[in-house]
Amino acid sequence: MKAHDGMYIDGAWRPAAGRDTIAVVNPADEQVIAEVPAGGAEDVDAAVRAARAALPAWAATAPAERAARIAALRDVLVARKDEIAETVTAELGAPLPFSQAVHAGVPILVAGSYAELAASYAFEEKVGNSTVYAEPVGVVGAITPWNYPLHQIVAKVAPALAAGCTIVLKPAEDTPLTAQLFAEAVHEAGVPAGVFNLVTGLGPVAGQALAEHEGVDLVSFTGSTAVGRKIGATAGAAVKRVALELGGKSANVILPSADLAKAVGVGVANVMGNSGQTCSAWTRMLVHTSQYDEAVALAAEAAAKYGDRIGPLVNAKQHARVRGYIEKGVAQGARLVAGGPEAPREQGYFVSPTVFADVTPEMTVAQEEIFGPVVSLIRYEDEDDALRIANGTVYGLAGAVWAGDEAEAVAFARRMDTGQVDINGGRFNPLAPFGGYKQSGVGRELGSHGLAEYLQTKSLQF
């Protein structure tokens, strides 16, 4: 798609207040493919004012009509699915089949789920002698990351629309073209002017201005825990609501009764998807000591199959960061059984699929979020040891448990300090709440729990 040279505010594309721009780079060949405006506080203020002005009418719109607009948005995304996939591939580097199936396909599912929820949700209920109303929280400042650019936008905008909120979106500077394409889709779907607004820009400038703006009632942010802390502190000072989906270091626990080959193969695939740039990736594989050597061999074999199948990392900074983590793992005594820090290609921000063995729980590669195609295998002695290791990080976003008996896996999963656990390779469910424990965040996305983040309650007593 051709990049817009302005911001989408109050139902139209308008020039940015300043002249600064952001270069959009294709990470596969390191070439600049577009430039978009780098918005600042003045652009954010205009967008928030537009959202504020549109709020009363949209909040008063019947849920059925809000549902119809979201359904129309879903239909536009379906019609433009190929263009979405091609855009994501160009600015993120994901292989086209992955972009088609995941980057374009999943947001369509999520948008459809909110079209249905908006029409069926109980925005009013009787509780004794009270009537309780669920009302929109107000103007939402949505700050989204680059790793799943459209999914993260839809996971915030669709429930906000369903709730009756208006929105200002500040997307990641690495993937603004997908956000611009989404703004076009919103316009084509007939969402009223001012209900959705887009400001492209840098996080410390436009993102900070949005988080601090007194006209924003809720900040929904997905990104690093470090930035999430700052946004939480800013919002707390203003007594402003936040929804924070932050980092992860998820454990893939393989119990001795599990199908080891399947658990290892699926586990490696889970990390290699999106080049490891997934906050919920199962980057720590926990294996019983009696099966450890076999699991290491299986993981190395599985990783080798992804050598030419994964895309690059998003930018030069991320490329250097991930390679630095691999070097640190080697320096701390982890054993490389696949991949390594050497760049596999002369051009592009590629990193080889990497598997570490002999990782101990206190190592940096077992504690910090790498955000690359790196799997760490950790041995455990018994279930209590596995649980200690699984829960032994500051994060608690996702995880997996494998066992021959489902009840055994469920019993272990219930003891894990994490917001979502897949049992024996359980499928993605767009209606299940997604979010973390501990420093992985505050609040939930997807399904009715995601919708509730954008609502506040009022009770009338009779």
mmCIF file of all heavy atoms in Angstrom, residues 316-367:
data_model
loop_
_atom_site.group_PDB
_atom_site.id
_atom_site.type_symbol
_atom_site.label_atom_id
_atom_site.label_comp_id
_atom_site.label_asym_id
_atom_site.label_seq_id
_atom_site.Cartn_x
_atom_site.Cartn_y
_atom_site.Cartn_z
ATOM 1 N N ALA A 316 17.403 -3.451 13.260
ATOM 2 C CA ALA A 316 18.811 -3.665 13.604
ATOM 3 C C ALA A 316 19.018 -3.754 15.112
ATOM 4 O O ALA A 316 19.837 -4.549 15.597
ATOM 5 C CB ALA A 316 19.657 -2.537 13.019
ATOM 6 N N LYS A 317 18.298 -2.957 15.866
ATOM 7 C CA LYS A 317 18.437 -2.974 17.324
ATOM 8 C C LYS A 317 18.021 -4.320 17.893
ATOM 9 O O LYS A 317 18.710 -4.890 18.748
ATOM 10 C CB LYS A 317 17.593 -1.850 17.928
ATOM 11 C CG LYS A 317 17.665 -1.775 19.438
ATOM 12 C CD LYS A 317 16.802 -0.633 19.965
ATOM 13 C CE LYS A 317 16.857 -0.570 21.492
ATOM 14 N NZ LYS A 317 16.002 0.537 22.023
ATOM 15 N N GLN A 318 16.894 -4.846 17.418
ATOM 16 C CA GLN A 318 16.425 -6.141 17.888
ATOM 17 C C GLN A 318 17.386 -7.254 17.462
ATOM 18 O O GLN A 318 17.639 -8.204 18.208
ATOM 19 C CB GLN A 318 15.022 -6.406 17.341
ATOM 20 C CG GLN A 318 14.381 -7.705 17.785
ATOM 21 C CD GLN A 318 14.015 -7.716 19.257
ATOM 22 O OE1 GLN A 318 14.138 -6.712 19.941
ATOM 23 N NE2 GLN A 318 13.564 -8.862 19.737
ATOM 24 N N HIS A 319 17.915 -7.127 16.265
ATOM 25 C CA HIS A 319 18.884 -8.101 15.744
ATOM 26 C C HIS A 319 20.112 -8.184 16.651
ATOM 27 O O HIS A 319 20.544 -9.272 17.053
ATOM 28 C CB HIS A 319 19.292 -7.688 14.323
ATOM 29 C CG HIS A 319 20.135 -8.681 13.608
ATOM 30 N ND1 HIS A 319 21.355 -8.352 13.064
ATOM 31 C CD2 HIS A 319 19.949 -9.994 13.334
ATOM 32 C CE1 HIS A 319 21.880 -9.419 12.476
ATOM 33 N NE2 HIS A 319 21.051 -10.428 12.626
ATOM 34 N N ALA A 320 20.647 -7.026 17.016
ATOM 35 C CA ALA A 320 21.825 -6.990 17.883
ATOM 36 C C ALA A 320 21.479 -7.488 19.288
ATOM 37 O O ALA A 320 22.292 -8.174 19.933
ATOM 38 C CB ALA A 320 22.378 -5.567 17.946
ATOM 39 N N ARG A 321 20.289 -7.159 19.742
ATOM 40 C CA ARG A 321 19.867 -7.557 21.089
ATOM 41 C C ARG A 321 19.790 -9.078 21.222
ATOM 42 O O ARG A 321 20.305 -9.661 22.185
ATOM 43 C CB ARG A 321 18.516 -6.921 21.396
ATOM 44 C CG ARG A 321 17.918 -7.268 22.751
ATOM 45 C CD ARG A 321 16.599 -6.516 22.933
ATOM 46 N NE ARG A 321 16.016 -6.762 24.228
ATOM 47 C CZ ARG A 321 15.174 -7.757 24.504
ATOM 48 N NH1 ARG A 321 14.831 -8.608 23.539
ATOM 49 N NH2 ARG A 321 14.680 -7.917 25.710
ATOM 50 N N VAL A 322 19.152 -9.732 20.254
ATOM 51 C CA VAL A 322 18.991 -11.183 20.321
ATOM 52 C C VAL A 322 20.336 -11.881 20.196
ATOM 53 O O VAL A 322 20.633 -12.833 20.939
ATOM 54 C CB VAL A 322 18.003 -11.662 19.239
ATOM 55 C CG1 VAL A 322 17.980 -13.188 19.160
ATOM 56 C CG2 VAL A 322 16.597 -11.126 19.523
ATOM 57 N N ARG A 323 21.164 -11.438 19.284
ATOM 58 C CA ARG A 323 22.496 -12.045 19.141
ATOM 59 C C ARG A 323 23.315 -11.863 20.422
ATOM 60 O O ARG A 323 24.077 -12.742 20.820
ATOM 61 C CB ARG A 323 23.212 -11.442 17.946
ATOM 62 C CG ARG A 323 22.570 -11.798 16.609
ATOM 63 C CD ARG A 323 23.214 -11.075 15.452
ATOM 64 N NE ARG A 323 24.573 -11.529 15.213
ATOM 65 C CZ ARG A 323 25.409 -10.956 14.357
ATOM 66 N NH1 ARG A 323 25.013 -9.896 13.658
ATOM 67 N NH2 ARG A 323 26.625 -11.430 14.185
ATOM 68 N N GLY A 324 23.113 -10.723 21.075
ATOM 69 C CA GLY A 324 23.799 -10.485 22.348
ATOM 70 C C GLY A 324 23.356 -11.462 23.422
ATOM 71 O O GLY A 324 24.183 -11.946 24.226
ATOM 72 N N TYR A 325 22.065 -11.779 23.459
ATOM 73 C CA TYR A 325 21.575 -12.761 24.422
ATOM 74 C C TYR A 325 22.161 -14.141 24.155
ATOM 75 O O TYR A 325 22.503 -14.880 25.092
ATOM 76 C CB TYR A 325 20.047 -12.835 24.377
ATOM 77 C CG TYR A 325 19.352 -11.889 25.330
ATOM 78 C CD1 TYR A 325 18.592 -10.827 24.855
ATOM 79 C CD2 TYR A 325 19.448 -12.069 26.704
ATOM 80 C CE1 TYR A 325 17.950 -9.966 25.727
ATOM 81 C CE2 TYR A 325 18.806 -11.212 27.583
ATOM 82 C CZ TYR A 325 18.057 -10.158 27.090
ATOM 83 O OH TYR A 325 17.424 -9.311 27.954
ATOM 84 N N ILE A 326 22.271 -14.504 22.883
ATOM 85 C CA ILE A 326 22.849 -15.812 22.552
ATOM 86 C C ILE A 326 24.302 -15.877 23.008
ATOM 87 O O ILE A 326 24.753 -16.869 23.596
ATOM 88 C CB ILE A 326 22.718 -16.093 21.045
ATOM 89 C CG1 ILE A 326 21.233 -16.162 20.643
ATOM 90 C CG2 ILE A 326 23.418 -17.398 20.680
ATOM 91 C CD1 ILE A 326 20.998 -16.254 19.150
ATOM 92 N N GLU A 327 25.039 -14.813 22.771
ATOM 93 C CA GLU A 327 26.433 -14.763 23.219
ATOM 94 C C GLU A 327 26.529 -14.850 24.738
ATOM 95 O O GLU A 327 27.417 -15.518 25.283
ATOM 96 C CB GLU A 327 27.090 -13.473 22.711
ATOM 97 C CG GLU A 327 27.294 -13.450 21.196
ATOM 98 C CD GLU A 327 27.705 -12.080 20.689
ATOM 99 O OE1 GLU A 327 27.671 -11.110 21.490
ATOM 100 O OE2 GLU A 327 28.047 -11.969 19.491
ATOM 101 N N LYS A 328 25.599 -14.207 25.440
ATOM 102 C CA LYS A 328 25.603 -14.249 26.900
ATOM 103 C C LYS A 328 25.295 -15.658 27.397
ATOM 104 O O LYS A 328 25.874 -16.126 28.384
ATOM 105 C CB LYS A 328 24.603 -13.255 27.461
ATOM 106 C CG LYS A 328 24.619 -13.141 28.980
ATOM 107 C CD LYS A 328 23.740 -11.993 29.466
ATOM 108 C CE LYS A 328 24.341 -10.657 29.103
ATOM 109 N NZ LYS A 328 23.576 -9.530 29.720
ATOM 110 N N GLY A 329 24.376 -16.358 26.701
ATOM 111 C CA GLY A 329 24.075 -17.730 27.082
ATOM 112 C C GLY A 329 25.301 -18.618 27.002
ATOM 113 O O GLY A 329 25.574 -19.417 27.913
ATOM 114 N N VAL A 330 26.053 -18.481 25.927
ATOM 115 C CA VAL A 330 27.285 -19.262 25.766
ATOM 116 C C VAL A 330 28.280 -18.903 26.864
ATOM 117 O O VAL A 330 28.909 -19.780 27.487
ATOM 118 C CB VAL A 330 27.895 -19.024 24.371
ATOM 119 C CG1 VAL A 330 29.258 -19.698 24.262
ATOM 120 C CG2 VAL A 330 26.960 -19.535 23.288
ATOM 121 N N ALA A 331 28.421 -17.609 27.137
ATOM 122 C CA ALA A 331 29.385 -17.156 28.141
ATOM 123 C C ALA A 331 29.032 -17.673 29.533
ATOM 124 O O ALA A 331 29.931 -17.909 30.361
ATOM 125 C CB ALA A 331 29.445 -15.631 28.142
ATOM 126 N N GLN A 332 27.750 -17.865 29.806
ATOM 127 C CA GLN A 332 27.333 -18.328 31.130
ATOM 128 C C GLN A 332 27.293 -19.848 31.248
ATOM 129 O O GLN A 332 26.933 -20.372 32.298
ATOM 130 C CB GLN A 332 25.961 -17.740 31.470
ATOM 131 C CG GLN A 332 25.994 -16.236 31.702
ATOM 132 C CD GLN A 332 24.637 -15.670 32.085
ATOM 133 O OE1 GLN A 332 23.617 -16.340 32.011
ATOM 134 N NE2 GLN A 332 24.631 -14.399 32.504
ATOM 135 N N GLY A 333 27.639 -20.554 30.178
ATOM 136 C CA GLY A 333 27.779 -21.995 30.271
ATOM 137 C C GLY A 333 26.707 -22.819 29.609
ATOM 138 O O GLY A 333 26.744 -24.056 29.665
ATOM 139 N N ALA A 334 25.739 -22.184 28.957
ATOM 140 C CA ALA A 334 24.748 -22.952 28.212
ATOM 141 C C ALA A 334 25.410 -23.554 26.971
ATOM 142 O O ALA A 334 26.353 -22.989 26.409
ATOM 143 C CB ALA A 334 23.580 -22.069 27.814
ATOM 144 N N ARG A 335 24.905 -24.702 26.555
ATOM 145 C CA ARG A 335 25.505 -25.433 25.431
ATOM 146 C C ARG A 335 24.648 -25.273 24.177
ATOM 147 O O ARG A 335 23.480 -25.630 24.160
ATOM 148 C CB ARG A 335 25.635 -26.911 25.792
ATOM 149 C CG ARG A 335 26.145 -27.812 24.671
ATOM 150 C CD ARG A 335 26.557 -29.175 25.199
ATOM 151 N NE ARG A 335 25.510 -29.845 25.941
ATOM 152 C CZ ARG A 335 24.681 -30.771 25.433
ATOM 153 N NH1 ARG A 335 24.795 -31.142 24.157
ATOM 154 N NH2 ARG A 335 23.764 -31.342 26.185
ATOM 155 N N LEU A 336 25.245 -24.729 23.120
ATOM 156 C CA LEU A 336 24.541 -24.585 21.850
ATOM 157 C C LEU A 336 24.413 -25.941 21.172
ATOM 158 O O LEU A 336 25.419 -26.614 20.939
ATOM 159 C CB LEU A 336 25.280 -23.620 20.923
ATOM 160 C CG LEU A 336 25.035 -22.118 21.088
ATOM 161 C CD1 LEU A 336 25.992 -21.335 20.210
ATOM 162 C CD2 LEU A 336 23.586 -21.771 20.745
ATOM 163 N N VAL A 337 23.178 -26.325 20.826
ATOM 164 C CA VAL A 337 22.981 -27.561 20.057
ATOM 165 C C VAL A 337 22.356 -27.262 18.701
ATOM 166 O O VAL A 337 22.231 -28.148 17.855
ATOM 167 C CB VAL A 337 22.118 -28.577 20.843
ATOM 168 C CG1 VAL A 337 22.844 -29.020 22.103
ATOM 169 C CG2 VAL A 337 20.746 -28.007 21.181
ATOM 170 N N ALA A 338 21.968 -26.017 18.492
ATOM 171 C CA ALA A 338 21.471 -25.565 17.186
ATOM 172 C C ALA A 338 21.623 -24.061 17.134
ATOM 173 O O ALA A 338 21.451 -23.366 18.135
ATOM 174 C CB ALA A 338 20.005 -25.951 16.981
ATOM 175 N N GLY A 339 21.963 -23.547 15.945
ATOM 176 C CA GLY A 339 22.049 -22.111 15.757
ATOM 177 C C GLY A 339 23.251 -21.489 16.422
ATOM 178 O O GLY A 339 24.292 -22.116 16.611
ATOM 179 N N GLY A 340 23.101 -20.224 16.790
ATOM 180 C CA GLY A 340 24.195 -19.473 17.390
ATOM 181 C C GLY A 340 24.089 -18.004 17.037
ATOM 182 O O GLY A 340 23.166 -17.574 16.324
ATOM 183 N N PRO A 341 25.027 -17.184 17.492
ATOM 184 C CA PRO A 341 24.931 -15.732 17.278
ATOM 185 C C PRO A 341 25.314 -15.259 15.885
ATOM 186 O O PRO A 341 25.005 -14.129 15.509
ATOM 187 C CB PRO A 341 25.893 -15.171 18.325
ATOM 188 C CG PRO A 341 26.914 -16.255 18.499
ATOM 189 C CD PRO A 341 26.153 -17.542 18.350
ATOM 190 N N GLU A 342 25.988 -16.110 15.107
ATOM 191 C CA GLU A 342 26.444 -15.665 13.787
ATOM 192 C C GLU A 342 25.238 -15.438 12.861
ATOM 193 O O GLU A 342 24.322 -16.259 12.781
ATOM 194 C CB GLU A 342 27.371 -16.712 13.154
ATOM 195 C CG GLU A 342 28.664 -16.942 13.920
ATOM 196 C CD GLU A 342 28.479 -17.844 15.126
ATOM 197 O OE1 GLU A 342 27.414 -18.497 15.210
ATOM 198 O OE2 GLU A 342 29.379 -17.890 15.976
ATOM 199 N N ALA A 343 25.262 -14.323 12.157
ATOM 200 C CA ALA A 343 24.171 -14.016 11.226
ATOM 201 C C ALA A 343 24.205 -15.007 10.058
ATOM 202 O O ALA A 343 25.254 -15.183 9.428
ATOM 203 C CB ALA A 343 24.297 -12.587 10.710
ATOM 204 N N PRO A 344 23.070 -15.644 9.740
ATOM 205 C CA PRO A 344 23.075 -16.655 8.678
ATOM 206 C C PRO A 344 23.067 -16.069 7.274
ATOM 207 O O PRO A 344 23.286 -16.797 6.314
ATOM 208 C CB PRO A 344 21.786 -17.437 8.951
ATOM 209 C CG PRO A 344 20.874 -16.438 9.592
ATOM 210 C CD PRO A 344 21.773 -15.558 10.415
ATOM 211 N N ARG A 345 22.813 -14.769 7.151
ATOM 212 C CA ARG A 345 22.786 -14.126 5.829
ATOM 213 C C ARG A 345 23.527 -12.797 5.901
ATOM 214 O O ARG A 345 23.586 -12.152 6.952
ATOM 215 C CB ARG A 345 21.345 -13.882 5.369
ATOM 216 C CG ARG A 345 20.475 -15.131 5.356
ATOM 217 C CD ARG A 345 19.122 -14.847 4.733
ATOM 218 N NE ARG A 345 18.178 -15.936 4.972
ATOM 219 C CZ ARG A 345 16.956 -15.986 4.457
ATOM 220 N NH1 ARG A 345 16.525 -15.008 3.672
ATOM 221 N NH2 ARG A 345 16.162 -17.004 4.732
ATOM 222 N N GLU A 346 24.047 -12.376 4.776
ATOM 223 C CA GLU A 346 24.776 -11.115 4.738
ATOM 224 C C GLU A 346 23.841 -9.922 4.799
ATOM 225 O O GLU A 346 24.224 -8.852 5.280
ATOM 226 C CB GLU A 346 25.619 -11.037 3.456
ATOM 227 C CG GLU A 346 26.765 -12.044 3.403
ATOM 228 C CD GLU A 346 27.631 -11.861 2.176
ATOM 229 O OE1 GLU A 346 27.337 -10.936 1.379
ATOM 230 O OE2 GLU A 346 28.592 -12.639 1.996
ATOM 231 N N GLN A 347 22.631 -10.075 4.304
ATOM 232 C CA GLN A 347 21.673 -8.960 4.276
ATOM 233 C C GLN A 347 20.416 -9.351 5.029
ATOM 234 O O GLN A 347 19.964 -10.490 4.981
ATOM 235 C CB GLN A 347 21.330 -8.594 2.830
ATOM 236 C CG GLN A 347 20.518 -7.313 2.687
ATOM 237 C CD GLN A 347 20.278 -6.965 1.231
ATOM 238 O OE1 GLN A 347 19.951 -7.821 0.418
ATOM 239 N NE2 GLN A 347 20.461 -5.697 0.879
ATOM 240 N N GLY A 348 19.835 -8.394 5.722
ATOM 241 C CA GLY A 348 18.627 -8.656 6.485
ATOM 242 C C GLY A 348 18.942 -8.984 7.937
ATOM 243 O O GLY A 348 20.051 -9.417 8.263
ATOM 244 N N TYR A 349 17.948 -8.796 8.803
ATOM 245 C CA TYR A 349 18.162 -8.956 10.237
ATOM 246 C C TYR A 349 17.806 -10.378 10.692
ATOM 247 O O TYR A 349 16.989 -10.584 11.579
ATOM 248 C CB TYR A 349 17.326 -7.921 10.989
ATOM 249 C CG TYR A 349 17.580 -6.501 10.541
ATOM 250 C CD1 TYR A 349 16.537 -5.666 10.158
ATOM 251 C CD2 TYR A 349 18.882 -5.988 10.485
ATOM 252 C CE1 TYR A 349 16.765 -4.367 9.751
ATOM 253 C CE2 TYR A 349 19.122 -4.688 10.061
ATOM 254 C CZ TYR A 349 18.058 -3.874 9.690
ATOM 255 O OH TYR A 349 18.294 -2.596 9.291
ATOM 256 N N PHE A 350 18.449 -11.348 10.077
ATOM 257 C CA PHE A 350 18.138 -12.751 10.355
ATOM 258 C C PHE A 350 18.980 -13.294 11.505
ATOM 259 O O PHE A 350 20.154 -12.926 11.670
ATOM 260 C CB PHE A 350 18.379 -13.602 9.102
ATOM 261 C CG PHE A 350 17.406 -13.322 7.984
ATOM 262 C CD1 PHE A 350 17.678 -12.336 7.050
ATOM 263 C CD2 PHE A 350 16.226 -14.045 7.890
ATOM 264 C CE1 PHE A 350 16.788 -12.079 6.009
ATOM 265 C CE2 PHE A 350 15.327 -13.795 6.853
ATOM 266 C CZ PHE A 350 15.601 -12.806 5.918
ATOM 267 N N VAL A 351 18.387 -14.187 12.285
ATOM 268 C CA VAL A 351 19.072 -14.931 13.344
ATOM 269 C C VAL A 351 18.729 -16.404 13.157
ATOM 270 O O VAL A 351 17.575 -16.757 12.881
ATOM 271 C CB VAL A 351 18.639 -14.458 14.747
ATOM 272 C CG1 VAL A 351 19.180 -15.388 15.828
ATOM 273 C CG2 VAL A 351 19.111 -13.031 14.997
ATOM 274 N N SER A 352 19.720 -17.275 13.306
ATOM 275 C CA SER A 352 19.477 -18.704 13.143
ATOM 276 C C SER A 352 18.590 -19.249 14.264
ATOM 277 O O SER A 352 18.719 -18.826 15.420
ATOM 278 C CB SER A 352 20.807 -19.465 13.150
ATOM 279 O OG SER A 352 21.615 -19.085 12.058
ATOM 280 N N PRO A 353 17.689 -20.176 13.954
ATOM 281 C CA PRO A 353 16.935 -20.868 15.009
ATOM 282 C C PRO A 353 17.915 -21.498 15.991
ATOM 283 O O PRO A 353 18.786 -22.275 15.596
ATOM 284 C CB PRO A 353 16.144 -21.927 14.242
ATOM 285 C CG PRO A 353 16.027 -21.380 12.849
ATOM 286 C CD PRO A 353 17.318 -20.652 12.609
ATOM 287 N N THR A 354 17.792 -21.141 17.253
ATOM 288 C CA THR A 354 18.813 -21.486 18.237
ATOM 289 C C THR A 354 18.223 -22.297 19.386
ATOM 290 O O THR A 354 17.154 -21.965 19.903
ATOM 291 C CB THR A 354 19.468 -20.196 18.780
ATOM 292 O OG1 THR A 354 20.134 -19.525 17.700
ATOM 293 C CG2 THR A 354 20.464 -20.500 19.882
ATOM 294 N N VAL A 355 18.932 -23.342 19.778
ATOM 295 C CA VAL A 355 18.524 -24.175 20.910
ATOM 296 C C VAL A 355 19.699 -24.282 21.878
ATOM 297 O O VAL A 355 20.811 -24.632 21.483
ATOM 298 C CB VAL A 355 18.093 -25.585 20.461
ATOM 299 C CG1 VAL A 355 17.774 -26.463 21.677
ATOM 300 C CG2 VAL A 355 16.884 -25.506 19.541
ATOM 301 N N PHE A 356 19.421 -23.973 23.148
ATOM 302 C CA PHE A 356 20.397 -24.128 24.215
ATOM 303 C C PHE A 356 20.052 -25.343 25.063
ATOM 304 O O PHE A 356 18.899 -25.542 25.441
ATOM 305 C CB PHE A 356 20.396 -22.911 25.141
ATOM 306 C CG PHE A 356 21.228 -21.755 24.671
ATOM 307 C CD1 PHE A 356 20.649 -20.530 24.405
ATOM 308 C CD2 PHE A 356 22.606 -21.884 24.518
ATOM 309 C CE1 PHE A 356 21.408 -19.446 23.998
ATOM 310 C CE2 PHE A 356 23.379 -20.802 24.113
ATOM 311 C CZ PHE A 356 22.785 -19.585 23.847
ATOM 312 N N ALA A 357 21.055 -26.142 25.394
ATOM 313 C CA ALA A 357 20.933 -27.207 26.392
ATOM 314 C C ALA A 357 21.761 -26.817 27.614
ATOM 315 O O ALA A 357 22.500 -25.826 27.592
ATOM 316 C CB ALA A 357 21.410 -28.532 25.817
ATOM 317 N N ASP A 358 21.599 -27.587 28.681
ATOM 318 C CA ASP A 358 22.340 -27.362 29.926
ATOM 319 C C ASP A 358 22.101 -25.960 30.489
ATOM 320 O O ASP A 358 22.994 -25.340 31.079
ATOM 321 C CB ASP A 358 23.846 -27.587 29.724
ATOM 322 C CG ASP A 358 24.161 -29.005 29.254
ATOM 323 O OD1 ASP A 358 23.308 -29.897 29.465
ATOM 324 O OD2 ASP A 358 25.228 -29.209 28.657
ATOM 325 N N VAL A 359 20.875 -25.462 30.292
ATOM 326 C CA VAL A 359 20.499 -24.157 30.846
ATOM 327 C C VAL A 359 20.046 -24.359 32.295
ATOM 328 O O VAL A 359 19.279 -25.278 32.595
ATOM 329 C CB VAL A 359 19.374 -23.509 30.027
ATOM 330 C CG1 VAL A 359 18.896 -22.211 30.672
ATOM 331 C CG2 VAL A 359 19.848 -23.237 28.597
ATOM 332 N N THR A 360 20.516 -23.526 33.178
ATOM 333 C CA THR A 360 20.071 -23.567 34.570
ATOM 334 C C THR A 360 19.114 -22.404 34.815
ATOM 335 O O THR A 360 19.190 -21.377 34.130
ATOM 336 C CB THR A 360 21.267 -23.482 35.529
ATOM 337 O OG1 THR A 360 22.017 -22.298 35.259
ATOM 338 C CG2 THR A 360 22.161 -24.703 35.373
ATOM 339 N N PRO A 361 18.207 -22.542 35.787
ATOM 340 C CA PRO A 361 17.140 -21.549 35.953
ATOM 341 C C PRO A 361 17.609 -20.123 36.198
ATOM 342 O O PRO A 361 16.887 -19.177 35.865
ATOM 343 C CB PRO A 361 16.352 -22.083 37.155
ATOM 344 C CG PRO A 361 16.594 -23.548 37.150
ATOM 345 C CD PRO A 361 18.004 -23.704 36.674
ATOM 346 N N GLU A 362 18.798 -19.953 36.771
ATOM 347 C CA GLU A 362 19.248 -18.598 37.094
ATOM 348 C C GLU A 362 19.946 -17.901 35.932
ATOM 349 O O GLU A 362 20.231 -16.698 35.999
ATOM 350 C CB GLU A 362 20.180 -18.620 38.311
ATOM 351 C CG GLU A 362 21.545 -19.240 38.073
ATOM 352 C CD GLU A 362 21.556 -20.763 38.147
ATOM 353 O OE1 GLU A 362 20.473 -21.355 38.365
ATOM 354 O OE2 GLU A 362 22.635 -21.355 37.983
ATOM 355 N N MET A 363 20.237 -18.613 34.851
ATOM 356 C CA MET A 363 20.920 -17.988 33.704
ATOM 357 C C MET A 363 20.062 -16.890 33.087
ATOM 358 O O MET A 363 18.837 -16.933 33.126
ATOM 359 C CB MET A 363 21.243 -19.036 32.642
ATOM 360 C CG MET A 363 22.374 -19.974 33.002
ATOM 361 S SD MET A 363 22.697 -21.124 31.632
ATOM 362 C CE MET A 363 24.044 -22.082 32.324
ATOM 363 N N THR A 364 20.729 -15.919 32.490
ATOM 364 C CA THR A 364 20.028 -14.800 31.862
ATOM 365 C C THR A 364 19.055 -15.273 30.793
ATOM 366 O O THR A 364 17.934 -14.767 30.693
ATOM 367 C CB THR A 364 21.043 -13.823 31.241
ATOM 368 O OG1 THR A 364 21.917 -13.342 32.273
ATOM 369 C CG2 THR A 364 20.339 -12.643 30.587
ATOM 370 N N VAL A 365 19.455 -16.273 29.993
ATOM 371 C CA VAL A 365 18.582 -16.748 28.921
ATOM 372 C C VAL A 365 17.347 -17.470 29.456
ATOM 373 O O VAL A 365 16.393 -17.711 28.715
ATOM 374 C CB VAL A 365 19.339 -17.664 27.929
ATOM 375 C CG1 VAL A 365 20.383 -16.863 27.170
ATOM 376 C CG2 VAL A 365 19.939 -18.869 28.643
ATOM 377 N N ALA A 366 17.360 -17.822 30.744
ATOM 378 C CA ALA A 366 16.207 -18.470 31.371
ATOM 379 C C ALA A 366 15.363 -17.487 32.174
ATOM 380 O O ALA A 366 14.286 -17.858 32.652
ATOM 381 C CB ALA A 366 16.662 -19.602 32.291
ATOM 382 N N GLN A 367 15.823 -16.262 32.304
ATOM 383 C CA GLN A 367 15.129 -15.292 33.135
ATOM 384 C C GLN A 367 14.590 -14.088 32.362
ATOM 385 O O GLN A 367 13.539 -13.551 32.700
ATOM 386 C CB GLN A 367 16.070 -14.772 34.233
ATOM 387 C CG GLN A 367 16.358 -15.785 35.330
ATOM 388 C CD GLN A 367 15.145 -16.068 36.188
ATOM 389 O OE1 GLN A 367 14.353 -15.187 36.494
ATOM 390 N NE2 GLN A 367 14.966 -17.338 36.563
#
